[in-house]
Each structure stands twice: as C-alpha cells, then as structure tokens.
Amino acid sequence: MSKLKVFEVPHPVLRQTAEPVKVVTPEIKQLLSDMLETMYATHGVGLAGNQVGVLKRVVVVDCGDEKPEPIKLVNPEIIEKSPEIICHNEGCLSVPREYADVERHAQVTVRYLDENGCEKTRTADGLLAIAFQHEIDHLDGKLFIDYLSPLKRKLLLKHLEKRRKKAARLAEERED
Ligand code: NI
C-alpha cells in the first residue's frame, strides 16, 4: 500500500470528468486500497479518483462511528434520492481546512461495482448519504464550494490562499 498525493484547488484535475472503469482489474483494486490508506492518513471520510489525479470513476468512503466501515465504489451512480433535504457543514481534502454548509438529499440509493466487480446497491442516509453525493460530484468535476453563492465561494478561497501564503512564509522563516 502507498499513500497518494491529494490534489488541491485550483488544480484542473478536480474540474475534469472521470471516465467509467471498464473492468475492475487488480490495479483498480490496488488503487482503491491506496486511496483508503490516503484517506485515513489525512483524516478524511471520503476520497474520489480525481483528488489523487486519477480520472477514473472510483470512490472510497468511511463514515464509521466507532469502528472503521470502509466502502469502495467503482462507477457509483445515484439511482434514487429522497425529496427531503439536509444541511451539513462540509469540508474536503482538496479544499483544506475550509468548511461550509451545503444542502443535500437526506437519503440516496447508490448503485456501484465493488472491488471484485460485483454489482451492489446501497441506501444511505445521514453522513454517508452526504459523503456519497459529495464524492460522486468529484467524479463529475464538481466541488462542494460550487453550491455556495459566488461571494461566499470567493471569500472561502481567499481565506484558503491567505492561509497557504502564511504557511509558506513560516516554512521559509524556519529555513533561514
Ligand atoms: Ni471532497
């Protein structure tokens, strides 16, 4: 297993559409394991192919409360969504340390292939439903900040840039 590099805004790979996986090969299986390891190492609850620079429709999530509950999804698709909406303060490993309230469907049913290429469906609500929607958005080049008003999004990205510059400055000072 190996930890992968997580791409951050404004990297263009985050804005591209990922391609469906034709066959779940051992390489895809390995990629899913590496993504899971990367997600745990960075304390995320979900990670999509685009975020590690791979334009394939692969996602990992773990919204387990006490014990780990990893789910690996290939070609995930939302086939049903509830009309009820929930609002949750979302974050993203590609938009580090910035959070914003986003509205999502309260319940979704996802169809996908597991790591052995078997077709599965799973109905989720709460945090897991949010994670499914957030990660599948990534595969279509969409980020949670796209749901914000232009002004809110601008402020959030400005804040992120400011923090990056400060971190770079501190690192430079340490080198001196
Ligand atoms: Ni994300």
Side-chain angles (χ1 to χ4, degrees):
M1 295 232 279
S2 52
K3 212 186 137 203
L4 307 167
K5 174 184 159 67
V6 176
F7 289 84
E8 297 179 359
V9 281
H11 197 287
V13 76
L14 298 169
R15 291 309 190 179
Q16 285 173 271
T17 304
E19 290 290 324
V21 172
K22 288 195 188 89
V23 186
V24 186
T25 58
E27 288 74 28
I28 293 288
K29 216 169 164 169
Q30 183 62 48
L31 172 64
L32 288 162
S33 294
D34 290 343
M35 284 171 66
L36 208 55
E37 189 191 341
T38 306
M39 186 191 81
Y40 287 136
T42 42
H43 309 288
V45 295
L47 196 63
N50 303 45
Q51 292 181 278
V52 293
V54 179
L55 287 169
K56 290 193 163 77
R57 301 189 81 82
V58 287
V59 159
V60 293
V61 296
D62 190 338
C63 294
D65 240 352
E66 276 151 32
K67 54 177 183 2
E69 279 173 44
I71 310 172
K72 298 167 179 173
L73 307 98
V74 176
N75 300 340
E77 229 183 304
I78 294 171
I79 54 169
E80 255 181 68
K81 44 197 175 193
S82 69
E84 298 86 58
I85 298 294
I86 41 170
C87 186
H88 184 75
N89 200 245
E90 287 185 31
C92 178
L93 294 174
S94 295
V95 190
R97 292 166 63 201
E98 297 292 336
Y99 302 88
D101 286 344
V102 176
E103 288 184 347
R104 303 274 187 189
H105 297 281
Q107 190 182 72
V108 293
T109 300
V110 176
R111 183 169 58 204
Y112 63 99
L113 299 176
D114 70 8
E115 60 178 330
N116 299 311
C118 299
E119 193 178 300
K120 297 253 166 93
T121 56
R122 177 145 181 172
T123 300
D125 52 25
L127 208 53
L128 188 57
I130 293 165
F132 281 158
Q133 292 168 84
H134 178 120
E135 299 312 326
I136 292 171
D137 270 356
H138 272 301
L139 302 178
D140 294 319
K142 198 165 182 180
L143 300 171
F144 80 95
I145 54 173
D146 299 348
Y147 292 95
L148 310 179
S149 70
L151 178 65
K152 254 194 185 161
R153 184 165 56 245
K154 204 173 149 191
L155 285 172
L156 186 150
L157 291 172
K158 217 170 158 182
H159 191 242
L160 172 61
E161 210 38 58
K162 216 170 150 184
R163 202 152 26 70
R164 270 182 184 149
K165 279 193 185 135
K166 195 178 167 190
R169 206 165 50 235
L170 286 173
E172 228 171 74
E173 278 170 20
R174 240 174 274 132
E175 271 170 32
D176 289 343

